[in-house]
Amino acid sequence: MSTKGNWSPPAVSGRLFTFGLVASWYSSNIGVLLLNKYLLSNYGFKYPIFLTMCHMAACSLLSYVAIAWLRVVPMQTVRSRLQFLKIATLSLVFCGSVVSGNVSLKYLPVSFNQAVGATTPFFTAVFAYLMTVKREAWITYITLIPVVTGVIIASGGEPSFHLFGFIMCVGATAARALKSVLQGILLSSEGEKLNSMNLLLYMAPIAVVLLLPATLVMEENVVGITMALAREDFKLIWYLLFNSTLAYFVNLTNFLVTKHTSALTLQVLGNAKGAVAVVVSILIFKNPVTVTGMLGYTVTVIGVILYSEAKKRSK
């Protein structure tokens, strides 16, 4: 009997489906990052809070369509006022992370933005140490040294370094880590746990409510200015719609890749995604890079990989 049957059609189609999911996740992640950079820096649309609010509005609408109509996942309900307050707290931190990240893209090249963003494990370990009784093995903390060292090296070698942009980027990275730790603390009981799709369904509308007054106060007449810009160049509307839709697909594909592979696979793919985003952004935006800057980023990525391995072995 032939052994060629090992490559059965269902197995091949399963691999193709997984490959398609990963490709979609990469495309949406890198696409929204590059389009954010283009709009906020190159195109001259200087309204990061409004842009984030557009993202959250799209996530609210498309999350409802995906869960209530398409039934991508079963809908989970919020069971108490306390659970709602916990979700609102996460939404506030989430807003801070996304807005800070978008603000940083006004001032920093994507390559340096990704180098700083790669330090998320460092902030996650710090917040977990401060806010929970959870302690990692000493070797895990040792692996965080190259994570931070790499960013220090990259900062010194970054020709487009901007202090305010750097502070915003560090703030975004810290807020992203804080949300991850807070989520583990606040929604830890079985009755309150929500999958990432349902959590987004509830967080996104709260984020819109939080961001609306912020954009009206801090980005005065942003709607009128956007409409005036759109009258001059209607492509802006398409950019905003496409960008906001991509922001939702980042979350959807993130969920689906985790579901069909594993959290560890997602982590490995995430490390590689940062490197791909750096290369693509340099090719598109042609921002100057130095050997020192790339060396720093490489050291950070190596540190993240070592951290992932140390965490895996300590379990």
Side-chain angles (χ1 to χ4, degrees), residues 15 27 30 32 62 67 94 115 141 148 160 164 219 248:
R15 288 189 184 91
S27 301
I30 296 171
V32 79
L62 295 174
I67 295 173
F94 183 50
Y141 293 115
V148 178
S160 307
F164 179 69
E219 299 174 336
Y248 170 71

Side-chain angles (χ1 to χ4, degrees), residues 301-314:
V301 171
I302 290 170
V304 170
I305 293 168
L306 291 173
Y307 173 80
S308 302
E309 280 297 309
K311 284 268 289 182
K312 187 171 69 174
R313 294 187 181 204
S314 66

Side-chain angles (χ1 to χ4, degrees), residues 32-215:
V32 79
L33 180 67
L34 297 180
L35 196 46
N36 282 349
K37 174 64 179 176
Y38 174 73
L39 284 169
L40 294 167
S41 185
N42 297 60
Y43 188 87
F45 186 77
K46 304 181 187 300
Y47 306 102
I49 303 175
F50 180 74
L51 182 64
T52 306
M53 192 180 77
C54 291
H55 289 181
M56 293 302 116
C59 286
S60 302
L61 176 64
L62 295 174
S63 290
Y64 184 79
V65 170
I67 295 173
W69 293 358
L70 301 179
R71 304 188 187 282
V72 173
V73 293
M75 183 176 283
Q76 297 171 286
T77 56
V78 175
R79 300 185 178 187
S80 67
R81 182 178 295 180
L82 179 61
Q83 187 185 12
F84 176 80
L85 289 173
K86 289 176 178 180
I87 293 170
T89 302
L90 288 174
S91 186
L92 179 62
V93 177
F94 183 50
C95 282
S97 171
V98 179
V99 169
S100 299
N102 285 339
V103 169
S104 75
L105 285 171
K106 281 179 67 176
Y107 304 100
L108 298 176
V110 171
S111 52
F112 188 53
N113 177 282
Q114 289 295 286
V116 177
T119 61
T120 302
F122 168 76
F123 289 102
T124 303
V126 169
F127 286 128
Y129 185 88
L130 295 174
M131 299 170 68
T132 70
V133 293
K134 186 180 178 184
R135 300 289 181 268
E136 302 289 352
W138 66 269
I139 191 69
T140 305
Y141 293 115
I142 293 292
T143 60
L144 292 171
I145 294 173
V147 173
V148 178
T149 304
V151 170
I152 294 170
I153 295 169
S155 300
E158 177 52 57
S160 307
F161 183 83
H162 189 285
L163 182 59
F164 179 69
F166 176 70
I167 292 169
M168 286 292 101
C169 197
V170 170
T173 307
R176 190 160 56 243
L178 178 60
K179 176 189 167 285
S180 174
V181 175
L182 273 177
Q183 189 173 327
I185 297 169
L186 296 179
L187 302 177
S188 57
S189 68
E190 284 302 319
E192 291 184 332
K193 278 184 181 175
L194 298 171
N195 62 48
S196 60
M197 295 302 294
N198 274 276
L199 185 59
L200 183 67
L201 173 68
Y202 294 113
M203 280 202 314
I206 297 170
V208 173
V209 172
L210 293 171
L211 290 168
L212 182 59
T215 191

Side-chain angles (χ1 to χ4, degrees), residues 39-40 43-54 215-216 219-241 244:
L39 284 169
L40 294 167
Y43 188 87
F45 186 77
K46 304 181 187 300
Y47 306 102
I49 303 175
F50 180 74
L51 182 64
T52 306
M53 192 180 77
C54 291
T215 191
L216 292 176
E219 299 174 336
E220 195 175 344
N221 195 30
V222 63
V223 176
I225 293 169
T226 303
M227 296 310 294
L229 288 170
R231 279 193 289 272
E232 293 176 16
D233 182 9
F234 194 75
K235 283 187 294 189
L236 175 62
I237 298 298
W238 292 113
Y239 286 147
L240 290 174
L241 286 172
S244 300

